Amino acid sequence: MQKAVLAIDACNIISEIDERIYGSFIEHLGRAVYGGIYQPGNPNSDVDGFRKDVMALVRELNVPVIRYPGGNFVSGYNWEDGVGPKENRPVRLDLAWFTTETNEFGMQEFQKWLEKVGSNMMMAVNLGTRGPDSARNLVEYANFPSGTFLSDLRISHGRKEPYGIKTWCLGNEMDGPWQMGAKTADEYGRIAAEAAKLMKWTDPNIELVACGSSNSHMPTYGSWESTVLSHVYDHVDYISMHEYYGNPDDDTPTFLSETETMDKFIKSVVSICDRIKEEKHSDKTMYLSFDEWNVWYHSLDHDAKLERWGRAPHRLEDVYNFEDALLVGGLLITLIKNSDRVRMACLAQLVNVIAPIMTDDDGAWPQTIYHPYQLTSRYGRGSALRVDVDCASYDSKKHMHVPYLDSVAVLSESGVELTVFVLNRNLEEDVEAEFDIKGLSLRPIVHVALEGCGLKDVNDSRNPDRVKPVEKQLREGSVVLSKASWNVLRYRVV
Ligand code: AHR
């Protein structure tokens, strides 16, 4: 058995974790909304048409913020189509996903649903086919108390209290040629700065996220961030990051080393932000909103064959396996390790579409990736502590010297619990990890592990629990981390 040492020092604090790093995303795409969270007439739905089985699974995830309504969809969206009496709402073509959008569900319904699951809206505005004027109108409709045309319109739609939406995204992936109304960095930077000004003049309490690159492989990645930030630095609070990971070559060691890709991406965006800060002689620190991340590749071939203009087709329905859950657990560790700069992150998405939760007409079930997300959202709140890992490493096709173990610790908000998250990427051997703890006295509570499954094992409607965490006894001293496992080690601080 391989040996390792995990060193934790109570003084080695990375940051207080912003709980919004456990955010998620619902886009008008495929069956995320229709047939996912909303399905009037289904026996599992409540009086509002919301799927109760889905809401139960979402509540367990304790998701603090959910981005809406897109994604690519938002770049052609008229927010007015989704408010007011349903019988007046127009059916429109959605040119993001080449489907038909009925607008039966809009921000009114989404807000009601959020209140039932205990989450908050992160609203994206359309800076593709629209601009600053519709963006500031949406802020007024949503957040202004009363006495103006748009705030009174909201009230006439049955919502007296303002929505009080705090976090707003200034468009989506505006660098991407696939985006409706795609822009150069200068074009986007100017429009985003003007939209930001108007939106904050309408409601000074909001926070704004500017679009970073669609992913780190974009030819303009880096220069896009520099140019956009040079326009918006004084007006926004975050820059976005998006990245999806896959294992198309069936190379699991390389796939599991994608945590390094995410880590490098974050650090390079941080360095661009800090360079612009220097250039502007600014005191303000720019934070990151990693508002789309996940594994996404299983459904690509299927989706390439989809017919146009369907309503809520099965699209982006990746069925996740055990190794995907290991990577998602590792990516969550990476986000916590960077929580000094990553203040928001959204697992994309939440239901049916590249999602931890799947539905059919008869029920809902957790995909494999649901479990690391649920456990980290639950035990990953408080102060992030660095874990110095001394262990063997391997070379993957993308990264050299990848340590088999990846780890971070979280001291709970109340200070009474320490949770150590550990990914073991060694596919052949268990690893025995010793602890070197400074400044904390710990008593073991429990070891929760995702382990012992085949790498390609999946959950489905008939076997919803094939991949699920197991609880094991946690003893004083060393701990055995099974080969190919993701682990949550919980200790009481005494
Ligand atoms: O999450 C699916 C899509 O991925 C989003 O609409 C888009 O922003 C990204 O390219």
Side-chain angles (χ1 to χ4, degrees):
M1 195 179 327
Q2 278 191 353
K3 305 270 187 205
V5 178
L6 303 179
I8 301 173
D9 183 335
C11 296
N12 207 346
I13 298 169
I14 300 167
S15 175
E16 284 299 303
I17 297 166
D18 188 323
E19 63 166 12
R20 293 175 300 171
I21 68 167
Y22 305 118
S24 189
F25 179 25
I26 286 282
E27 177 168 2
H28 282 246
L29 194 187
R31 297 189 308 125
V33 172
Y34 305 108
I37 65 178
Y38 180 72
Q39 199 174 12
N42 183 281
N44 285 311
S45 295
D46 70 7
V47 285
D48 292 312
F50 301 148
R51 285 280 297 255
K52 288 184 280 189
D53 46 1
V54 173
M55 287 194 289
L57 284 164
V58 174
R59 278 189 208 105
E60 278 293 299
L61 290 172
N62 195 5
V63 191
V65 50
I66 303 180
R67 189 164 168 254
Y68 176 84
N72 296 339
F73 173 80
V74 79
S75 295
Y77 185 54
N78 298 335
W79 63 266
E80 300 89 336
D81 293 348
V83 297
K86 288 198 186 192
E87 60 276 16
N88 298 341
R89 298 193 192 170
V91 174
R92 293 208 193 260
L93 295 183
D94 163 31
L95 303 185
W97 302 104
F98 298 101
T99 48
T100 304
E101 171 58 53
T102 64
N103 284 306
E104 287 161 71
F105 189 99
M107 70 178 286
Q108 275 178 226
E109 290 72 28
F110 190 53
Q111 179 63 33
K112 201 166 194 186
W113 181 82
L114 287 170
E115 283 163 16
K116 290 190 182 190
V117 298
S119 190
N120 297 292
M121 191 161 356
M122 176 183 191
M123 177 69 99
V125 298
N126 175 356
L127 294 189
T129 60
R130 303 185 94 186
D133 193 46
S134 78
R136 61 101 179 219
N137 284 343
L138 179 50
V139 176
E140 184 180 324
Y141 177 89
N143 285 6
F144 201 75
S146 65
T148 65
F149 174 74
L150 289 167
S151 55
D152 288 346
L153 185 65
R154 182 197 69 240
I155 294 169
S156 77
H157 292 157
R159 173 78 190 198
K160 185 163 183 306
E161 292 307 313
Y163 290 116
I165 300 169
K166 184 173 176 203
T167 313
W168 297 74
C169 303
L170 295 166
N172 177 71
E173 297 189 349
M174 297 307 303
D175 59 333
W178 59 87
Q179 202 71 215
M180 285 175 266
K183 294 177 173 43
T184 65
D186 274 311
E187 287 167 349
Y188 171 69
R190 285 292 303 127
I191 285 173
E194 290 306 311
K197 265 168 45 187
L198 271 54
M199 292 166 78
K200 283 198 172 175
W201 284 344
T202 306
D203 181 354
N205 298 316
I206 62 176
E207 291 189 330
L208 297 174
V209 185
C211 288
S213 296
S214 298
N215 58 68
S216 61
H217 305 288
M218 296 299 288
T220 49
Y221 165 58
S223 66
W224 172 273
E225 279 73 6
S226 300
T227 305
V228 168
L229 284 171
S230 70
H231 289 289
V232 301
Y233 202 89
D234 295 335
H235 304 289
V236 308
D237 307 281
Y238 308 89
I239 185 143
S240 75
M241 301 178 65
H242 291 180
E243 193 96 285
Y244 294 96
Y245 308 90
N247 187 13
D249 301 329
D250 196 11
D251 173 355
T252 305
T254 298
F255 179 58
L256 294 180
S257 74
E258 291 286 37
T259 57
E260 305 277 303
T261 312
M262 180 191 249
D263 190 65
K264 285 194 167 63
F265 186 23
I266 292 170
K267 292 196 163 61
S268 78
V269 175
V270 165
S271 65
I272 296 169
C273 293
D274 291 348
R275 182 169 51 75
I276 303 294
K277 177 181 182 177
E278 292 287 311
E279 281 172 17
K280 289 191 168 283
H281 309 287
S282 175
D283 290 332
K284 172 178 170 180
T285 298
M286 187 62 56
Y287 291 99
L288 310 185
S289 173
F290 209 129
D291 46 44
E292 287 189 35
W293 68 273
N294 202 348
V295 173
W296 175 12
Y297 75 106
H298 297 285
S299 59
L300 296 177
D301 291 343
H302 167 273
D303 291 355
K305 297 181 205 118
L306 277 174
E307 301 267 320
R308 288 185 169 203
W309 313 128
R311 291 186 182 197
H314 290 254
R315 184 187 277 274
L316 273 71
E317 296 201 359
D318 275 40
V319 175
Y320 291 115
N321 59 31
F322 178 65
E323 68 182 13
D324 297 330
L326 296 180
L327 181 67
V328 164
L331 295 171
L332 284 158
I333 289 173
T334 308
L335 290 170
I336 299 173
K337 282 163 92 173
N338 289 285
S339 54
D340 54 335
R341 294 303 286 269
V342 180
R343 289 288 159 88
M344 294 189 284
C346 302
L347 178 69
Q349 299 190 9
L350 187 57
V351 183
N352 286 333
V353 171
I354 44 173
I357 299 168
M358 290 298 281
T359 70
D360 60 19
D361 286 345
D362 301 321
W365 62 95
Q367 293 230 59
T368 61
I369 63 168
Y370 180 93
H371 298 295
Y373 182 35
Q374 190 268 331
L375 287 162
T376 315
S377 174
R378 177 150 184 197
Y379 297 111
R381 293 170 192 237
S383 307
L385 298 185
R386 203 159 275 114
V387 178
D388 290 320
V389 181
D390 183 3
C391 68
S393 61
Y394 67 100
D395 294 339
S396 79
K397 295 232 170 68
K398 282 195 172 172
H399 301 282
M400 305 288 281
H401 314 301
V402 180
Y404 280 111
L405 301 188
D406 197 1
S407 180
V408 74
V410 177
L411 188 60
S412 65
E413 280 151 357
S414 58
V416 299
E417 257 190 63
L418 183 84
T419 302
V420 187
F421 298 95
V422 197
L423 170 67
N424 181 7
R425 299 181 254 235
N426 192 324
L427 304 179
E428 311 297 332
E429 266 186 74
D430 298 349
V431 176
E432 182 180 7
E434 301 242 1
F435 282 98
D436 174 6
I437 309 276
K438 291 200 175 66
L440 288 167
S441 172
L442 302 175
R443 188 178 308 142
I445 303 175
V446 70
H447 178 175
V448 184
L450 277 171
E451 63 175 31
C453 296
L455 292 174
K456 309 298 178 191
D457 283 357
V458 301
N459 292 345
D460 54 33
S461 56
R462 275 183 295 180
N463 298 286
D465 291 329
R466 189 183 279 128
V467 176
K468 69 168 189 185
V470 290
E471 290 203 352
K472 300 161 53 159
Q473 197 178 2
L474 184 61
R475 299 177 201 281
E476 306 270 351
S478 67
V479 57
V480 174
L481 305 161
S482 299
K483 62 186 178 186
S485 67
W486 183 83
N487 303 269
V488 181
L489 310 171
R490 293 179 52 212
Y491 295 89
R492 184 156 301 284
V493 179
V494 290

